[in-house]
Amino acid sequence: MTTPSTSQPTSTPTPTPVSAPAATGIPGRLGSLGPVGLVLAGGISVQFGGALAVTLMPRAGALGVVTLRLLAAAVVLLVVCRPRLRGHSRTDWGTVIVFGATMAAMNGLFYQSVDRIPLGPAVTLEVLGPLALSVLASRRAINAVWAGLALAGVFLLGGGDFGDLDPIGVAFALGAGAMWATYIIFSARTGRRFPQADGLALAMAVAALLFLPLGIAEAGSRLLNPTTVALGSSVAVLSSVLPYTLELLALRRLPAHTFAVLMSLEPAIAATAGFLILGQALTATQSAAIALVIAASIGAVRSQVGRGRQPSGGAQPDSAGGVRPEPVVDVRPEPSGGVRPEPVAGLQPEGNGSAS
């Protein structure tokens, strides 16, 4: 479901990461994948992490899985970033708390969704949040076309009345999308107030603490089962830590708008993960619906890039390894989900980061 950024939120339909300390000691073979390969590998990691989370739900429930993911990701980020606690204003703390609460809500809603509907449709519906933010922020006539494509995709996905999908699951996915859009906005605000990835680490800790009572209420002592803890930690690594690292490396060499377009492919990656890991086959109509939403997302990204392009060329990724022309936070999610590198002009939980 997706990370904070250090600039004004931008209107690109893709989750954006947050600036993080320069990664050191990363195996050279990761860089050999090339920037596009690194971004795609990050997207695959997020969505297959989401699929793994679904398999863990019978053990710990949706809320228990979210709790384990947030706790594990928070521990890793706090250890790696070691954020400074002193010297921040009341407004700074208020911003990071709202950011953390948004992150918790985004992941919670997304996992409640994938507990009820297939992963591919859930991510597709969730992407509508960042897409709507992008379309509304740009205020260009061409974006009415992209909005129409997205609505047509949603109509097809629901078969006209969503009779093939659990309506509660659909509502949770749309709610996760709304939280993803909010996450992008507060990611940028947090990135401007905290250095490097400190704000992200603190917000993840806030999210974990807020969700802990819900996870305990649903899963109880099952959260302490060693196998469950190991699987939950794996979900955190696949959905947050690994994608963040891969995207941070990629954004040093990849134009921000290219990154945003690649992120728009996540619904297709999610559908593939759902099919391979969970056996969730899609009908031809549902596949066409996902394709329409992806096309709308890419179109909105390209329109925004064209509008903001300077004579000297397109927007480049942040020098610190940010994610898009103008920063915002992901996580797809967590994603919508997840945790991502420094933001630029884009929008993902953990997946959800997605929270996916």
Side-chain angles (χ1 to χ4, degrees):
M1 258 180 203
T2 324
T3 39
S5 122
T6 59
S7 170
Q8 299 294 336
T10 55
S11 51
T12 315
T14 325
T16 66
V18 112
S19 55
T24 59
I26 302 292
R29 58 182 175 229
L30 285 181
S32 68
L33 287 174
V36 172
L38 290 171
V39 174
L40 292 177
I44 290 170
S45 180
V46 167
Q47 301 307 335
F48 278 78
L52 176 61
V54 174
T55 68
L56 182 56
M57 287 177 185
R59 283 178 170 271
L63 300 182
V65 173
V66 175
T67 301
L68 289 172
R69 174 191 167 167
L70 293 176
L71 282 172
V75 169
V76 171
L77 286 172
L78 290 173
V79 169
V80 172
C81 299
R82 290 180 291 181
R84 183 168 52 87
L85 300 180
R86 297 179 181 276
H88 301 297
S89 68
R90 184 175 300 179
T91 303
D92 293 341
W93 283 110
T95 300
V96 85
I97 288 172
V98 173
F99 183 35
T102 300
M103 190 183 301
M106 178 179 68
N107 281 279
L109 290 168
F110 180 76
Y111 278 107
Q112 289 283 6
S113 172
V114 296
D115 194 29
R116 294 170 170 81
I117 64 177
L119 185 62
V123 173
T124 302
L125 291 169
E126 186 193 26
V127 163
L128 294 178
L131 177 59
L133 179 63
S134 176
V135 169
L136 292 174
S138 74
R139 299 176 184 175
R140 299 184 69 197
I142 185 62
N143 281 302
V145 175
W146 311 132
L149 271 182
L151 289 175
V154 171
F155 182 82
L156 283 178
L157 193 63
D161 59 0
F162 288 98
D164 294 335
L165 297 175
D166 184 326
I168 296 178
V170 170
F172 278 132
L174 293 173
M179 288 299 100
W180 190 353
T182 306
Y183 168 91
I184 290 169
I185 293 170
F186 277 92
S187 162
R189 294 181 183 179
T190 300
R192 291 194 297 270
R193 292 181 174 276
F194 291 83
Q196 298 181 329
D198 286 12
L200 175 63
L202 293 171
M204 189 70 76
V206 169
L209 290 174
L210 289 175
F211 227 92
L212 185 58
L214 297 176
I216 293 175
E218 179 172 82
S221 61
R222 289 181 292 167
L223 290 177
L224 302 177
N225 180 281
T227 302
T228 301
V229 171
L231 290 172
S233 299
S234 299
V235 170
V237 170
L238 287 172
S239 298
S240 297
V241 179
L242 182 57
Y244 175 71
T245 302
L246 294 174
E247 290 169 7
L248 185 62
L249 290 171
L251 282 164
R252 292 172 178 168
R253 293 181 285 160
L254 192 67
H257 64 273
T258 303
F259 176 89
V261 169
L262 290 171
M263 293 298 295
S264 299
L265 301 177
E266 290 213 355
I269 298 174
T272 302
F275 175 72
L276 295 177
I277 305 298
L278 306 172
Q280 297 174 340
L282 299 178
T283 66
T285 300
Q286 289 174 326
S287 298
I290 291 174
L292 284 175
V293 173
I294 290 173
S297 182
I298 293 174
V301 171
R302 300 297 296 173
S303 295
Q304 187 62 21
V305 169
R307 180 191 185 195
R309 183 172 286 146
Q310 300 299 320
S312 59
Q316 296 296 318
D318 188 283
S319 59
V323 181
R324 340 257 158 124
E326 274 198 307
V328 193
V329 197
D330 206 210
V331 152
R332 242 57 199 223
E334 230 108 198
S336 32
V339 172
R340 308 277 173 100
E342 200 166 67
V344 203
L347 309 179
Q348 164 214 15
E350 187 175 75
N352 153 272
S354 73
S356 16

